Every structure is written in C-alpha cells, then in structure tokens.
Amino acid sequence: MKVTEYIAKSKGKTLFTFELLPPLKGENINSIYQTIEPLIEFNPSFVDVTYHREEVIFKEREDGLLERRTVRKRPGTVGIAAAIKFKYGIDVVPHLICGGFSQEETENALIDLQFLGIDNILLIRGDNLRGEKQFKPEPDGHRYAIDLVKQVIKLNKGIFLEEDMLNPVPTNFCIGVSGYPEKHIESPNLATDLQYLKAKVDAGADYIVTQMFFDNSKYFDFVKACRETGITIPIIPGLKPISLKSQLSTLPRTFSIDIPDELVKEVEKCTDTQQVRQAGVEWAIQQSRELIEFGVPVLHFYTMGKSDNIRKIAHEIF
Ligand code: FAD
C-alpha cells in the first residue's frame, strides 16, 4: 500500500514509521532484522531504507604514495527493502538519490523496484562526494531532486527513456521528498528553499518527510509556511533521539540544525552514554506527544541503525 493511502486510511490517527540504514559492507542482514524486530509490536506502517553512494577513500601504498579509491560502504538498499517486505509483510520505502546515477541507471533501479512490488520511494539528491565542494551529478544524471521526481512521474505515465518501446507498462510510485524546517544547508534562506520544495511538490511529489529537528516550533512554523506557499500534501516530521554527547556538535554541523539550550544542558549533565540515550529518549517523547497533539499524520524516527531508544519512545507513544 502507498504511504499516502496509509495516511488517508488512518483517519487522523498518527502512524509510527522509522528509517533504517544498510549495514556496513561485510555485515549481514541479521543486523537489520535485529534493529527491526524490537519495533514490530508497534505496527510500523512502513519502513524507509536509506541509500548510500560511493565514497572516496585514500589508501597508503607500499611506496608511501596515496591511492584514491572509490568504495560503497553501505550497499544493499534494494535488497534490504525487499527482504523486509517479504519477511515481515511491511511496506518499505527505499530511498533513491541523484548522486552517482545516470538517468538510465535510475530507470533500471526503478524497474527493479517495480518488479519487486515496491511502489513507495523517497527521492533525494544526495550529498556531495567527500572532498567535493559542490554536488556533481553524473554527466547524464540529475542535478536536483526535482529532476528525479520528474523522471519518476514520466515513468508513472509509461514514458521511459527509450521512446520507441512497445506497450510500456506505467509504474505506480508514490513519491516522497525531503523538506528542511531549518532550511537546507546550502540554501541562502528558508523562503528560497521553500520555493524549491514547492517546485518538487508541483512536479508530482506526494508527501514530504522533514529533516530532524529538536524544537517543535521549527516544524510548526515550517508547516505554516508550506501551507501559505500552497503546499497541501502531508508533511511527516522526522525525529532523532540524541544518543551521544558528541552529537551536540556533529548534528548541527552536518545538518545545519539548532539544538535547544534546555536539551543541550540535559545532555551535558550526563556522565555516561546510557544517560545521554535516556535524555534523548525523554526529549523525543515530549516532542512526539506535542506533535501528535498538533495532528501530525506520521511520526518518523531516524534509527541510525539502533532501535533500543526508538523502542522506548514507541512504548510510551503508540
Ligand atoms: P534538492 O531538493 O535537490 O535541494 C538541494 C539544494 O538545492 C537545496 O538547497 C535547494 O534549496 C536547492 N535547489 C533545489 N532546486 C534548485 C534549483 N532548481 N536551482 C537552484 N537550487 C535548487 N541522503 C542520502 O545520501 N541518502 C539518503 O537515503 C537520504 N535520505 C534522506 C531522507 C530525508 C528525509 C532527508 C531530509 C534527507 C536525506 N538525505 C539522504 C540527505 C539529502 O540527500 C541531502 O540533504 C541533500 O543535500 C539534499 O537533498 P534534497 O533531495 O533535499 O535536494
């Protein structure tokens, strides 16, 4: 079933969903199952699986020179999504990015998903390769997520890249895109970012999932601004419980988000990681309660590969 159908059928009841990331290359699928299983009893409506492009690494050679290598450390998005769908009967939302994909590779990835009966996708641009100042698309790839949305919309109409196909069967993807309550890191301001978000929606996106935020007023203001801009589709809040003290600086640096003073003080008081995880859980529970009160369609949690903290939150909320 499509994400938008889940939301329509829930009749205003907030749904529980979460995001997983593929394990590091070399680990096996059991680590994914170990993350999911503690959360199954809370009836997740769908599970997102992130996509990770190649990374550039430098290996020291015997002669002392550095060799540049490109590796994908977390492959397996489509395989994991399919494994979850068939093992647990839960709908999945694999992520698909612009970075590293030509248009034809994108089309082929979409065909794989179609054959697997996966009809939800989250379309995002992806980040720059490490060491690159700007995002560089493949020569025949997409520069912005909107271009990916347009390609999927065409495919949903049966328009493939190859024009002279006999009886092409349209795909039927429900399309999610990302939104940034505190603006995207590269955007000059929130209003500009919103215009580009609106363009993704006008191109055919069905729903928005937000970047994590720790201050609900940022989400409420974002929803208001989206509605004033004419965006009417569901806006799903993404929540991440703080789990390490170091995240007080890494999360703002990576995602260009603020962490409220009160939460910073709570985390700074903690003397070990267990206490930090608990402080993160308590903050997320408060956020969740207020968001449900506001009437959000879904609470979407970023697991970052660990679910014990998400389980504690879900236990209180769902
Ligand atoms: P876009 O919508 O393309 O926007 C990128 C920037 O360009 C923004 O600043 C926007 O304002 C600007 N812009 C957009 N259109 C134009 C235009 N026409 N002209 C000029 N500027 C424009 N990354 C991964 O690698 N894998 C994942 O699985 C993944 N999942 C994510 C899930 C969610 C819910 C979120 C919020 C992010 C996720 N990301 C993921 C991170 C994402 O790839 C980065 O944030 C990326 O930098 C931007 O992606 P986007 O789709 O928002 O980009």
Side-chain angles (χ1 to χ4, degrees):
M1 199 156 89
K2 291 181 173 180
V3 166
T4 44
E5 289 169 343
Y6 277 109
I7 294 173
K9 282 197 171 169
S10 73
K11 298 200 176 102
K13 185 173 176 285
T14 302
L15 304 172
F16 168 61
T17 67
F18 56 91
E19 176 191 281
L20 297 167
L21 66 166
L24 286 168
K25 193 184 273 188
E27 288 178 35
N28 74 15
I29 187 92
N30 287 331
S31 65
I32 287 286
Y33 297 154
Q34 280 159 14
T35 309
I36 292 185
E37 276 165 21
L39 302 176
I40 293 284
E41 68 179 90
F42 307 106
N43 293 321
S45 302
F46 52 89
V47 174
D48 277 53
V49 186
T50 54
Y51 190 95
H52 299 259
R53 70 175 297 187
E54 74 281 10
E55 289 176 39
V56 174
I57 56 163
F58 290 91
K59 284 259 172 200
E60 191 169 348
R61 294 194 323 210
E62 277 184 10
D63 59 9
L65 293 176
L66 291 179
E67 186 182 313
R68 187 180 192 274
R69 283 199 205 153
T70 310
V71 287
R72 269 191 74 201
K73 292 187 178 169
R74 295 183 186 273
T77 301
V78 174
I80 290 169
I84 296 170
K85 177 179 162 76
F86 294 114
K87 183 172 168 76
Y88 301 105
I90 300 176
D91 273 298
V92 284
V93 185
H95 294 186
L96 194 60
I97 65 172
C98 303
F101 280 82
S102 68
Q103 290 183 38
E104 194 184 353
E105 286 162 342
T106 299
E107 185 171 277
N108 292 339
L110 291 162
I111 289 168
D112 277 344
L113 297 178
Q114 185 194 31
F115 288 160
L116 286 165
I118 294 174
D119 51 12
N120 290 295
I121 34 171
L122 190 90
L123 302 178
I124 53 262
R125 187 195 71 183
D127 285 319
N128 317 342
L129 273 188
R130 195 173 295 166
E132 281 182 356
K133 290 213 173 80
Q134 269 189 334
F135 175 79
K136 274 200 206 133
E138 292 303 296
D140 177 32
H142 296 306
R143 178 168 291 279
Y144 295 111
I146 186 173
D147 305 314
L148 203 46
V149 173
K150 287 179 181 167
Q151 183 173 1
V152 177
I153 290 292
K154 275 192 180 168
L155 220 55
N156 277 352
K157 293 178 181 157
I159 305 168
F160 287 68
L161 295 171
E162 203 69 48
E163 279 163 11
D164 51 358
M165 287 171 70
L166 292 175
N167 304 320
V169 178
T171 55
N172 189 22
F173 288 109
C174 173
I175 301 171
V177 290
S178 57
Y180 301 82
E182 296 173 69
K183 91 170 184 63
H184 182 252
I185 194 162
E186 294 162 28
S187 200
N189 55 52
L190 191 56
T192 310
D193 208 24
L194 269 180
Q195 287 308 320
Y196 290 128
L197 177 60
K198 171 82 163 48
K200 288 194 279 194
V201 175
D202 291 346
D206 294 297
Y207 68 97
I208 296 164
V209 184
T210 76
Q211 182 57 278
M212 65 183 76
F213 56 88
F214 294 92
D215 174 354
N216 284 349
S217 70
K218 301 272 165 70
Y219 172 83
F220 300 145
D221 291 348
F222 177 68
V223 172
K224 187 166 177 276
C226 284
R227 301 305 181 223
E228 283 168 5
T229 314
I231 295 172
T232 56
I233 60 176
I235 303 174
I236 298 176
L239 294 182
K240 182 200 148 26
I242 292 263
S243 52
L244 291 170
K245 224 178 225 186
S246 58
Q247 288 170 349
L248 294 182
S249 58
T250 55
L251 296 179
R253 192 167 61 233
T254 312
F255 301 113
S256 184
I257 50 168
D258 271 358
I259 302 186
D261 205 29
E262 200 187 327
L263 176 57
V264 173
K265 286 191 178 125
E266 283 304 313
V267 172
E268 275 176 345
K269 268 196 270 169
C270 299
T271 52
D272 62 34
T273 303
Q274 227 19 63
Q275 285 182 17
V276 175
R277 290 181 84 77
Q278 189 54 31
V281 164
E282 284 165 17
W283 189 269
I285 289 172
Q286 278 182 37
Q287 274 196 280
S288 301
R289 290 201 172 118
E290 199 184 13
L291 288 163
I292 289 176
E293 185 81 20
F294 181 77
V296 296
V298 178
L299 283 175
H300 184 67
F301 292 92
Y302 296 113
T303 66
M304 298 207 169
K306 295 236 167 79
S307 58
D308 61 306
N309 50 357
I310 310 297
R311 184 179 156 81
K312 285 184 183 166
I313 301 162
H315 189 260
E316 286 298 315
I317 299 293
F318 294 100

